[in-house]
Amino acid sequence: MKTLLIFSMMLLHSFQPGTATPTSKEYLNYSIIKDDKTIGNIRVERSLKDDVTEYLFESRAKVKILYSIEIYDKMGVTFKQNMMQQAKLYRTMNGKLKVNNTATWNGSFYNLSDKDGASGSLKQSIFSSTASLYFNEPGNIKSVFSEKFQKMIPIQKVNSKKYRIDLPNGNTTTYTYSNGICTLVEANTDFANLKFVLNTKTS
C-alpha cells in the first residue's frame, strides 16, 4: 500500500503543468508555381524540444503535361544535438507509391532502406539535410543529405544569398534566403521547372 501511495504521488507530480519542457513550433508555407500558375502547396514545420529538432515537410501538386500528374510528398527528419537521427521520405504519383525511403542512425552508421527493403548504409555523421534547408541557410556547409537519393550531395554557394545543388539525376535545385529563411526554391525537375515561393502571410 505504501509503495502504491509513493508511486501515485510520483505519477501526479510527473503530470503537473509546467514540469515538461514545452515544444516550440514554427511553420513555413510555400506556393508551388509552374508557368506563373499555382499548382500546389508546401508546408514545412520545425519543432524544437530540448536538444531534439524535427522537420516535417508535406507537399501536394498537380502538374498537367500530356496528362495530369498528382504528386504527394511527406518527409520527416529528426536531429538530436544537431546530428541527424532519422530521415523518412514518402512519395506517391497519382496514388502510386514511388518513394519510401528511411535512414536511421544506429550509433555507428545509418541504416538505409527504400520501398523494396534494405538498401545499404552510410558511414558518416549528418548535420544537414534538404528538409533542414528551409529553415537554415547553409552558409559554409559543403554538403547536405538528400532524403530522395539517400546520399550526401555537394551544395555550392552561388552568391551571398543563393545556393545550388546538382542532383545525381541531372536535375538542379537552387535555394534563395532572406534573414536565414528560405524564400524561394527553383527546382528543375524531369517533368517541369518549378518555383516554391514563400507565402509571407501567416497561417
Side-chain angles (χ1 to χ4, degrees):
M1 184 68 184
K2 187 177 179 182
T3 304
L4 183 62
L5 181 62
I6 292 170
F7 177 74
S8 299
M9 289 172 68
M10 288 172 64
L11 200 63
L12 280 169
H13 177 73
S14 69
F15 286 103
Q16 282 182 352
T19 57
T21 305
T23 301
S24 66
K25 292 187 178 184
E26 301 170 88
Y27 302 90
L28 297 173
N29 293 289
Y30 298 82
S31 295
I32 303 174
I33 310 292
K34 178 184 178 292
D35 300 330
D36 297 323
K37 293 181 180 178
T38 301
I39 61 164
N41 58 77
I42 298 171
R43 186 174 178 86
V44 189
E45 173 190 310
R46 176 172 69 176
S47 62
L48 307 169
K49 185 175 183 181
D50 298 326
D51 60 351
V52 176
T53 304
E54 185 174 10
Y55 299 91
L56 294 174
F57 174 107
E58 192 169 18
S59 72
R60 297 178 189 274
K62 190 171 184 177
V63 185
K64 207 163 190 178
I65 309 171
L66 296 175
Y67 57 94
S68 185
I69 303 173
E70 291 189 37
I71 304 165
Y72 172 75
D73 271 19
K74 189 169 186 178
M75 184 160 52
V77 184
T78 304
F79 290 82
K80 186 173 183 180
Q81 295 177 340
N82 297 320
M83 182 176 155
M84 194 180 85
Q85 302 297 303
Q86 188 174 70
K88 292 184 175 183
L89 173 62
Y90 174 86
R91 175 177 297 163
T92 62
M93 292 180 69
N94 290 340
K96 186 178 179 181
L97 179 65
K98 289 294 182 180
V99 179
N100 193 10
N101 291 346
T102 303
T104 306
W105 179 251
N106 67 7
S108 301
F109 54 86
Y110 294 94
N111 288 312
L112 307 177
S113 64
D114 58 23
K115 63 185 179 69
D116 299 317
S119 60
S121 62
L122 186 61
K123 297 177 173 64
Q124 68 180 98
S125 302
I126 297 172
F127 300 98
S128 182
S129 79
T130 61
S132 65
L133 287 178
Y134 289 84
F135 279 97
N136 303 287
E137 186 173 345
N140 295 321
I141 291 173
K142 301 299 182 186
S143 62
V144 298
F145 178 73
S146 167
E147 295 85 354
K148 167 69 165 61
F149 295 98
Q150 295 192 302
K151 61 168 63 176
M152 299 301 293
I153 308 288
I155 184 165
Q156 302 171 28
K157 194 170 187 176
V158 177
N159 58 43
S160 61
K161 293 298 176 185
K162 184 177 281 190
Y163 303 79
R164 189 182 79 219
I165 294 176
D166 295 322
L167 299 171
N169 62 358
N171 296 340
T172 62
T173 307
T174 60
Y175 299 80
T176 301
Y177 291 82
S178 177
N179 299 318
I181 296 295
C182 182
T183 57
L184 173 67
V185 178
E186 296 164 280
N188 298 323
T189 72
D190 295 331
F191 53 86
N193 293 330
L194 306 175
K195 292 182 179 180
F196 309 156
V197 181
L198 179 66
N199 300 328
T200 53
K201 293 180 180 178
T202 56
S203 63

